[in-house]
Amino acid sequence: MSSTSRFANRRLAIIGAGPIGVETALRALAEGLTVTLYEAREPGAHVRRWSHVRFFSPWSLNRSALGEAMLREAGRELVDGEVFPTGESYLREYLEPLLAELDARPGLDLQPNTRVLGISRLRALKGDLLANPRRAHRPFLLRVSGPEGERFDEADLVIDASGVLSTPNMLGPGGLPAIGEEALNGQVLRGIPDVTERDADLANRRVLVVGDGHSAATTLGALTELRTRAPQTRVVWAYRSDGEPFVEIEGDTLPQRLRLSRLGNAVARGEVDGVEARPGVFVQRISPEGDALRVTLASAGGDTSEVEVDRIIANVGYHPDTSLYRELQVHLCYASDGPMKLAASLLASTGGADCLDQTSAGPEVLKNPEPGFYVLGTKSYGRNSNFLLKVGLQQIDDVMTLIRDSQDV
Ligand SMILES: Cc1cc2nc3c(=O)[nH]c(=O)nc-3n(C[C@H](O)[C@H](O)[C@H](O)COP(=O)(O)OP(=O)(O)OC[C@H]3O[C@@H](n4cnc5c(N)ncnc54)[C@H](O)[C@@H]3O)c2cc1C
């Protein structure tokens, strides 16, 4: 790395000051790029939504060597690498101090409360200059909305690290909204509840949890804990798979993950008081009835049943907002909505493997038909929820290699 590298002073726009956006900015500055880091809210906004949840990966997998070095140089002590942070401690102990150090460096323009609305090329439409090296010489154009209104900005390179948490999946059959779901005006909680604080009004309520991933298991864990303080809390857990949905990895090195999988499977077997499992169903209809919600659950075979609840918690995943790069030449996977090359490599490498074993598939899979445009971080995985920060940190190395080696920019 050196500030005298060939691409020094090229303008890089990074969308999203989450973990990967901030780490990318750090690395790009070290490479000599000029960086604008756009953040729709405040840095780390998505992690803040689950700040009460504990990471299942330890600190050592969640920090970059460059970030650690910068904080040590600034005289900060780092938490032991073996410890598992919460979202809150990740922000407080790492991301925020890192950003404070970075913000003081020349070359970075951090723009909080500034949302990128769309990306295109100056003087080139989506269909122009196909596979033509001249396309790379037309600067990117970003339509952004900040505290002073909307404007267009230019950049030579763009990295989209805007995550997926702003675009949750819907509850209904096949990913469609359930009938009545869109009219509920925020009555569906989409995420993992903080039963001690933010979502304390779940106590002694009837709660429907939907989904069969680790987020749903985390929610079930939180609600079971809530039941020890508020024993009238009743939980129905609806999910589309049959039987016990979690793989309990023999000798799992991540104790938190194993605990969650065991809890989810115990609920599925009907062994946890106050939590009733409804496997093999999806939400068909939600109808408000006074303060309550009447929910129709349907099986793939067409059988229906009803449940009346006070709250619904949707843990059915997220999808990327691909509208940001609709005007660019990005080849998307028809199954995951992630950029095609990475999606294909992820599809080829799955098959029951432990997601912790993943590594980056190398620079080549981060390339798009659009020169100089890259999707990194959790958004790069599209609808696939297996993304890990340790992979994102490798992606940053890979993309810097691509930028450095590129003949186009
Ligand atoms: C509950 C939970 C637990 C997890 N646990 C782990 C774990 O233990 N280990 C692990 O490795 N990974 C874990 N992950 C997965 C992943 O590492 C995190 O989701 C991580 O936050 C991804 O970082 P990111 O920078 O890619 O995206 P995000 O953290 O989602 O950051 C994206 C940022 O972009 C901003 N943004 C969005 N749209 C725009 C826009 N149009 N313009 C400007 N800014 C925008 C957002 O406000 C946000 O700040 C977990 C995820 C969740 C949800």
Side-chain angles (χ1 to χ4, degrees), residues 318-353:
Y318 300 87
H319 59 273
D321 176 5
T322 56
S323 69
L324 275 189
Y325 36 80
R326 189 184 290 136
E327 300 308 322
L328 295 181
Q329 296 175 354
V330 182
H331 183 191
L332 294 178
C333 170
Y334 44 82
S336 73
D337 275 339
M340 189 63 211
K341 283 190 176 179
L342 176 57
S345 110
L346 287 172
L347 268 178
S349 66
T350 48

Side-chain angles (χ1 to χ4, degrees), residues 15-21 38-42 44-47 50 53 55-57 62 114-116 161-166 192 324 377-378 387-389:
I15 307 171
I20 297 304
Y38 298 94
E39 169 50 53
R41 297 187 190 87
E42 77 284 357
H46 282 173
V47 177
W50 51 274
V53 177
F55 277 67
F56 56 81
S57 57
N62 305 331
T114 304
R115 178 176 292 277
V116 175
S162 62
V164 293
L165 246 63
S166 310
I192 297 170
L324 275 189
T378 188
F387 174 78
L388 289 176
L389 289 181

